[in-house]
Amino acid sequence: MEKDRQARQAKIVEILTTLHNGGSFEEAKRMFNEAFDGVDVTEITAAEKALIQSGLDPSEIQRLCNIHAAVFKGSINEIHRSNEEHGQVGHPVHTLKLENQVLQSLLTDEIDGILSKMAKQDWSQLARLQNAVEDLKNIDKHYARKETLIFSFMEKYGITAPPKVMWGVDDQIRLMIKEFAELLASPKVAYNPLSEKWTHLKNEIEEMIFKEEEIMVPMTLDVFSLADWQQIAKDSYDIGFCFIPEPLKWEPSPASFEKEKENEPKRLLAIAQAKETTEVIAASLPSVPTKSSVADEVKEESVDGSKIVELPTGNLQLDQLMAIFSHLPVDLTFVDAEEKVRFYSEGPHRIFPRTKSVIGREVVNCHPPKSMHIVQQILDDFKSGARSQADFWIDMRGMKISIRYYALHDQNGKYLGCLEVTQDITEIQQLTGQKRLLDDK
């Protein structure tokens, strides 16, 4: 049995290697059809991992992953399911698929339909097309929930390679939508370049829909527990939804928990397979801190039981400290010396979404693949003492965003971790003159 599995794995690697070495899609498809009736999702991800370990740049995997999906399309086997709750309204998988259905309609029924009229020189449709593309930009929330929540739990179980590849493609799609919108706004816009760019963009989005529903979802349903899905569903509201109204809140039924107990051996087998076929799970499991939060440092007042945090410069009740963090005009995120996210502040309008699923996650994995090496270099420099601060600023959704990283040390110089401070400085940049306290009326 083990030899058969290894032989299958070797054949899949051979097929993908043929593609990466310039072989044709038809040849790869022929090799696959001759050797297999179907493949499991984990076999595909394992083959991609083997190519990366052999020295292939992960970005090359990303570039050709649409071709990979096309080779195996229609041949991916169902394995098993730890529970069947994913068909219920409000379950993250149900929500993801529902958004994809509306997204597909936006692509095909709306934008394709508009472009078919513009092909006949009906440019009165331009404003309608621009509005449709503005709607399409909301796909960012769909991808953000996947990257922030689902990827976080995938990493928890050692499934690290697929999220990196998919996140890279997500960012490509975001950029392509932005470029398409800019082309639409150009006074020199013409149909042929517009149609060509749209065909490429639509294909990328549709391929991502396939990867989400036929590769990512089956894999996560085999591995994630009901408690995992419950946390993802809860945290999803912090990020938001696109193309659909806010879904009903979902809670697993008592019967589903009982069924999950029966299927636990299958889930454990799927987890073991994920460990074997992707990165070593120990590298991405959250470590257990000896002190999980500032709340561990609190003492109780003897009078009314209020928890007090004792600091060198004063004392604060825990609820006072929480109120301070929630009203700061900046967003804070703390990453410990082991490069894991340990804390974030909760303000009413966070610039970048944070959910409880991020706690314990490797901070590098919280960033798109294209910027991972930059984040890692900053952390390495902080640890070595090469620098103590890193500053960036970006334009986003009409705002000027300041992002600053600080290395934190204790009184003896021991490195404690990194503090990220994010702030919308748009109004600050517009300040002129002065406004004194006495000027306030």
Side-chain angles (χ1 to χ4, degrees):
M1 183 71 177
E2 179 64 20
K3 288 184 178 179
D4 289 343
R5 190 182 67 79
Q6 291 177 352
R8 286 172 61 87
Q9 189 67 71
K11 189 65 178 179
I12 296 172
V13 172
E14 180 187 347
I15 293 170
L16 295 184
T17 301
T18 298
L19 284 171
H20 285 270
N21 289 338
S24 68
F25 168 82
E26 290 76 14
E27 173 65 11
K29 188 69 174 176
R30 182 192 62 76
M31 293 170 63
F32 174 76
N33 289 336
E34 288 179 356
F36 301 102
D37 292 326
V39 293
D40 293 334
V41 171
T42 51
E43 291 183 299
I44 300 172
T45 58
E48 292 185 341
K49 178 200 173 189
L51 288 174
I52 293 173
Q53 288 179 330
S54 68
L56 185 68
D57 190 327
S59 64
E60 184 67 10
I61 293 279
Q62 175 183 313
R63 188 179 70 83
L64 292 178
C65 64
N66 282 355
I67 302 176
H68 297 180
V71 169
F72 304 120
K73 188 173 287 187
S75 304
I76 298 176
N77 297 330
E78 295 288 327
I79 309 175
H80 51 262
R81 296 288 174 263
S82 59
N83 63 77
E84 299 299 332
E85 288 283 298
H86 58 277
Q88 301 294 319
V89 174
H91 188 288
V93 170
H94 184 277
T95 301
L96 179 143
K97 290 187 175 183
L98 189 58
E99 286 183 341
N100 279 341
Q101 288 178 15
V102 182
L103 171 60
Q104 185 66 66
S105 177
L106 176 61
L107 301 178
T108 306
D109 300 332
E110 180 68 2
I111 298 180
D112 276 354
I114 296 172
L115 284 169
S116 67
K117 294 178 181 179
M118 293 177 68
K120 301 174 183 178
Q121 300 305 309
D122 182 3
W123 285 88
S124 66
Q125 300 291 318
L126 180 60
R128 181 180 169 188
L129 180 58
Q130 290 173 327
N131 290 335
V133 173
E134 283 302 308
D135 289 341
L136 183 59
K137 289 179 180 179
N138 288 314
I139 201 173
D140 182 64
K141 290 184 179 178
H142 180 93
Y143 290 161
R145 289 203 320 278
K146 176 178 63 177
E147 295 156 357
T148 305
L149 303 176
I150 295 179
F151 287 179
S152 177
F153 280 92
M154 291 176 76
E155 291 160 11
K156 170 184 173 182
Y157 291 111
I159 308 171
T160 54
K164 291 177 183 177
V165 173
M166 292 181 76
W167 197 335
V169 178
D170 288 348
D171 280 347
Q172 284 186 349
I173 292 172
R174 289 178 172 109
L175 179 60
M176 291 169 68
I177 293 173
K178 179 182 177 182
E179 291 175 344
F180 187 72
E182 290 172 348
L183 181 59
L184 277 176
S186 170
K188 297 182 179 179
V189 60
Y191 177 77
N192 285 341
L194 199 64
S195 176
E196 181 180 347
K197 191 174 284 287
W198 170 248
T199 299
H200 185 35
L201 170 57
K202 180 188 175 187
N203 180 68
E204 288 294 323
I205 295 175
E206 290 180 331
E207 287 294 339
M208 181 53 71
I209 292 174
F210 171 78
K211 291 167 199 155
E212 287 178 351
E213 298 190 5
E214 301 300 330
I215 297 177
M216 181 187 75
V217 165
M219 181 186 299
T220 54
L221 286 175
D222 288 334
V223 170
F224 290 5
S225 69
L226 282 170
D228 295 335
W229 288 118
Q230 195 171 12
Q231 187 65 52
I232 292 171
K234 179 181 178 182
D235 290 344
S236 292
Y237 292 92
D238 293 333
I239 298 174
F241 306 90
C242 62
F243 312 128
I244 63 171
E246 187 174 282
L248 297 173
K249 286 182 168 50
W250 165 80
E251 292 286 343
S253 65
S256 68
F257 278 114
E258 290 301 316
K259 186 174 182 180
E260 183 179 56
K261 292 179 183 178
E262 298 175 7
N263 289 332
E264 186 64 7
K266 292 181 179 179
R267 192 177 81 90
L268 293 176
L269 181 62
I271 294 172
Q273 192 171 15
K275 290 180 184 179
E276 182 180 343
T277 57
T278 59
E279 281 77 11
V280 179
I281 196 169
S284 57
L285 274 175
S287 62
V288 180
T290 56
K291 295 178 180 177
S292 60
S293 71
V294 70
D296 290 325
E297 294 295 319
V298 302
K299 296 183 179 180
E300 292 191 355
E301 290 274 57
S302 58
V303 178
D304 60 2
S306 299
K307 292 183 176 180
I308 297 294
V309 181
E310 295 188 359
L311 300 168
T313 55
N315 302 323
L316 289 169
Q317 294 180 11
L318 183 58
D319 58 354
Q320 293 171 337
L321 183 61
M322 292 171 63
I324 290 172
F325 276 125
S326 66
H327 285 81
L328 285 174
V330 296
D331 296 341
L332 304 178
T333 303
F334 172 67
V335 177
D336 69 12
E338 302 302 317
E339 301 181 3
K340 296 181 187 295
V341 180
R342 291 302 174 201
F343 168 82
Y344 63 90
S345 61
E346 291 186 286
H349 306 291
R350 280 200 64 96
I351 297 169
F352 299 113
R354 296 281 189 272
T355 66
K356 291 181 180 178
S357 301
V358 78
I359 302 301
R361 191 178 184 188
E362 297 277 354
V363 68
V364 171
N365 291 332
C366 298
H367 294 78
K370 63 183 178 183
S371 60
M372 282 181 171
H373 67 288
I374 301 173
V375 175
Q376 188 61 60
Q377 186 60 58
I378 292 172
L379 294 173
D380 290 345
D381 287 349
F382 282 0
K383 284 185 177 181
S384 68
R387 55 175 164 171
S388 59
Q389 183 175 330
D391 297 335
F392 304 92
W393 49 95
I394 61 174
D395 296 318
M396 186 179 74
R397 300 194 299 269
M399 300 181 291
K400 177 71 73 174
I401 306 300
S402 167
I403 308 168
R404 314 185 82 176
Y405 298 94
Y406 299 93
L408 304 183
H409 299 83
D410 67 12
Q411 294 180 341
N412 297 319
K414 178 184 176 182
Y415 178 69
L416 299 177
C418 166
L419 179 67
E420 177 191 81
V421 181
T422 306
Q423 184 176 15
D424 176 6
I425 60 172
T426 309
E427 292 186 5
I428 296 175
Q429 286 191 316
Q430 296 171 354
L431 293 177
T432 58
Q434 62 177 346
K435 179 182 178 181
R436 297 169 301 177
L437 187 61
L438 294 176
D439 295 329
D440 192 54
K441 296 180 180 180

